Amino acid sequence: MFKKETYVNRRKALKEKVGSGLLLFLGNDECGANYEDNTYPYRQDSSFLYYFGLPFAGLNAIIDIDNDREIIFGDELTIDHIVWMGTQPTLHEKAELIGINETLPSRDITAYLDKAVKSGRKIHYLPTYRPEHKLKLWEYLGIKPGTEMPSVDMIRAIVDMRNHKTDEEIVEIERACNVTADMHIEATKVLRPGMKEYEVVAALEAVAAANGCGLSFPTIATVCGQTLHNHYHGHTVKPGDMLLVDAGAETEMGYAGDMSSTICADKKFTTRQKEIYDIQVASHLAAVAALKPGVPFKDVYELSARVICQGLKDLGIMKGDPAEAVAAGAHAMFFPCGLGHMMGLDVHDMENLGEVWVGYDGQPKSTQFGRKSLRLARPLEPGFVLTIEPGVYFIPELIDYWKAEKRFEDFIDYGKLESYRDFTGIRNEEDYLITADGARRLGKKIPLTTDEVEALR
Ligand code: GLY
Ligand code: MN
């Protein structure tokens, strides 16, 4: 945890931003995987962590702005808990760590909220993403699941604070990024033809564990890199394959790293693989060079997509003007996802609060295939932490679908493309902090070019 003042100051700033009413924070409970006592690894809600820092199940909190009260609701451990799970500080001791003096038993929250509702006060709460959140809102406030009306004022205030990382958060994120980089370097070194994907997963996840970290999301390590979020690890890696690895560490405090690499199964890439890889690298470097305050991330995305189209045009896979191809949406055949996303206490930071607030500052998102998957578009500001992860993908089903519809025939040479249908996909990903006048990579360098990958093989 950070020092007490961090949490005190964050809550003070939040109160000033929202101004009035009562802020309800629903902590996360344990969640049974296949029976109640066999739980998934516990993860506290990230906004709860940000303002209250306590990584324990069974807590909720209220910031009563109008009455200047901050209360943690929870229950003391029983002797049964202690016998099976060990001891913990008392609730009051936990609350003191974050500068809160008032604690109440869990059951008291309903009466507290009931009184507030009856006196017509505004209760702010966040969007729900777990069944237990929905049940709590139902129990505490009588809000039936599916009828929640999260507070836009609370969302916007929290997004504004959490989007701007402080120096102490950067230290923590950089630690996650360094461990993440080591995971990728390890994967790049250990991969050999004949290995199962899951053997590479074991090697890289061991690096996280050996550094006291968990994972910030389920590891991707696949010879089918054209599938963007491919969590299957059962293939054997064959000579000539490429393994796309997307994996990240999460520190004990909950901060994420998120990087991707694409590794040749052999000691060297083939010429054909290098040609596409170089396009990905050119797009990646162009995006990084464009990062600075004031630049809309949407423009960085458009730039990275144009570089991909130009590279594919040079290989004869695309044709026409790259800028026109991107404006029309033809690039999405090869780059159907976004360029990057905010990162912090969540790997996709605050995705539960709504991308339109986090990445678009309330502006509408495009509905165009490909462009609609861009999670971040707003002008960049110092303190933003984001990923850069352009990719070049050859998705056989998408090729067949668009070809049958004769889509973008002015921009895509379907005859040439046919010979690439089994190429799979390439993505490299790094994490950046927007600084006062540019951007700084977070964490040590991972191999980015084919030469850099081959040097570790
Ligand atoms: N690292 C997974 C993603 O960014 O979607
Ligand atoms: Mn990512």
Side-chain angles (χ1 to χ4, degrees):
M1 283 172 58
F2 293 120
K3 57 190 183 317
K4 176 187 298 195
E5 290 71 31
T6 293
Y7 302 101
V8 171
N9 292 336
R10 285 175 178 177
R11 293 193 300 271
K12 183 167 177 284
L14 180 63
K15 285 187 267 193
E16 283 165 8
K17 274 178 178 292
V18 179
S20 64
L22 191 152
L23 302 162
L24 171 61
F25 287 86
L26 301 173
N28 284 348
D29 293 335
E30 296 281 9
C31 179
N34 50 345
Y35 53 92
E36 193 176 345
D37 283 348
N38 197 27
T39 55
Y40 288 109
Y42 178 71
R43 180 54 156 81
Q44 180 59 282
D45 173 76
S46 294
S47 289
F48 195 95
L49 274 184
Y50 187 83
Y51 292 102
F52 302 96
L54 301 173
F56 305 106
L59 304 177
N60 298 295
I62 284 177
I63 301 178
D64 186 338
I65 303 175
D66 310 322
N67 294 306
D68 200 19
R69 286 174 77 178
E70 297 177 337
I71 310 166
I72 298 279
F73 293 85
D75 297 316
E76 301 297 351
L77 299 187
T78 64
I79 191 64
D80 286 282
H81 287 123
I82 292 167
V83 166
W84 287 94
M85 312 295 292
T87 193
Q88 281 183 13
T90 66
L91 188 59
H92 193 72
E93 286 166 343
K94 288 175 186 164
E96 277 190 331
L97 295 173
I98 51 158
I100 289 186
N101 296 318
E102 198 172 1
T103 59
L104 288 172
S106 291
R107 64 173 180 280
D108 288 8
I109 197 167
T110 309
Y112 196 99
L113 290 169
D114 196 46
K115 196 166 154 212
V117 170
K118 289 203 169 108
S119 41
R121 297 177 55 208
K122 170 80 179 163
I123 315 252
H124 302 271
Y125 57 87
L126 297 173
T128 57
Y129 60 93
R130 285 188 173 204
E132 84 224 30
H133 299 157
K134 296 180 190 297
L135 293 176
K136 284 180 185 181
L137 287 182
W138 196 1
E139 182 187 339
Y140 302 162
L141 294 167
I143 296 166
K144 287 220 169 114
T147 66
E148 298 94 350
M149 302 257 288
S151 162
V152 172
D153 290 344
M154 183 174 179
I155 291 171
R156 295 197 82 151
I158 292 178
V159 164
D160 190 41
M161 290 182 69
R162 287 183 55 192
N163 263 348
H164 296 90
K165 272 66 179 180
T166 59
D167 290 349
E168 62 187 348
E169 287 186 285
I170 297 302
V171 170
E172 194 65 17
I173 294 172
E174 188 133 40
R175 191 174 119 61
C177 291
N178 276 322
V179 176
T180 300
D182 281 338
M183 293 161 71
H184 284 268
I185 291 166
E186 180 67 9
T188 308
K189 287 180 178 169
V190 302
L191 176 63
R192 291 290 176 271
M195 282 174 86
K196 290 284 190 184
E197 293 163 336
Y198 54 69
E199 293 179 86
V200 184
V201 173
L204 70 92
E205 292 188 354
V207 175
N211 283 279
C213 289
L215 302 176
S216 51
F217 60 94
T219 297
I220 296 166
T222 179
V223 293
C224 299
Q226 77 280 7
T227 304
L228 301 176
H229 281 176
N230 192 336
H231 292 126
Y232 179 72
H233 298 151
H235 296 113
T236 302
V237 182
K238 300 189 300 304
D241 280 349
M242 290 183 294
L243 187 77
L244 193 155
V245 176
D246 187 345
E250 180 181 280
T251 65
E252 204 180 1
M253 284 178 61
Y255 284 90
D258 178 13
M259 297 179 191
S260 302
S261 10
T262 305
I263 312 163
C264 43
D266 307 303
K267 287 198 178 300
K268 305 269 183 206
F269 289 95
T270 65
T271 303
R272 190 178 165 90
Q273 287 169 343
K274 272 190 182 166
E275 284 171 352
I276 300 293
Y277 205 113
D278 287 349
I279 296 172
Q280 193 281 338
V281 173
S283 172
H284 190 114
L285 295 179
V288 170
L291 296 177
K292 64 175 182 190
V295 174
F297 196 69
K298 180 179 167 301
D299 293 356
V300 187
Y301 162 81
E302 305 284 342
L303 169 67
S304 66
R306 284 197 300 274
V307 173
I308 289 173
C309 289
Q310 180 64 56
L312 292 173
K313 182 180 171 182
D314 293 345
L315 290 179
I317 299 170
M318 291 192 80
K319 49 192 179 173
D321 177 42
E324 284 177 24
V326 172
H331 64 292
M333 165 66 90
F334 310 97
F335 183 28
C337 51
L339 173 66
H341 50 83
M342 298 286 202
M343 190 182 81
L345 278 167
D346 307 298
V347 62
H348 293 176
D349 212 18
M350 295 170 277
E351 200 159 286
N352 62 312
L353 302 187
E355 258 169 25
V356 78
W357 302 117
V358 180
Y360 285 74
D361 199 21
Q363 300 302 309
K365 289 180 71 172
S366 170
T367 54
Q368 187 187 63
F369 178 77
R371 215 170 241 103
K372 71 179 177 189
S373 299
L374 183 58
R375 295 188 159 95
L376 175 59
R378 66 195 295 166
L380 299 173
E381 296 176 32
F384 284 7
V385 168
L386 49 87
T387 67
I388 292 293
E389 49 179 309
V392 183
Y393 307 97
F394 295 85
I395 304 167
E397 295 84 348
L398 187 59
I399 294 171
D400 292 342
Y401 182 35
W402 280 23
K403 187 177 174 186
E405 294 205 333
K406 301 187 188 307
R407 222 184 267 195
F408 298 125
E409 285 187 322
D410 291 346
F411 298 118
I412 298 171
D413 185 327
Y414 283 101
K416 180 84 177 175
L417 178 55
E418 201 53 37
S419 64
Y420 283 84
R421 64 183 287 118
D422 297 323
F423 183 87
T424 72
I426 292 174
R427 169 166 77 251
N428 283 318
E429 177 180 17
E430 297 180 307
D431 306 325
Y432 282 87
L433 165 70
I434 304 302
T435 59
D437 54 4
R440 176 171 83 76
R441 192 189 66 237
L442 292 173
K444 60 178 86 162
K445 184 167 167 42
I446 57 171
L448 200 65
T449 64
T450 53
D451 283 350
E452 288 166 357
V453 174
E454 289 173 356
L456 288 187
R457 303 286 302 135

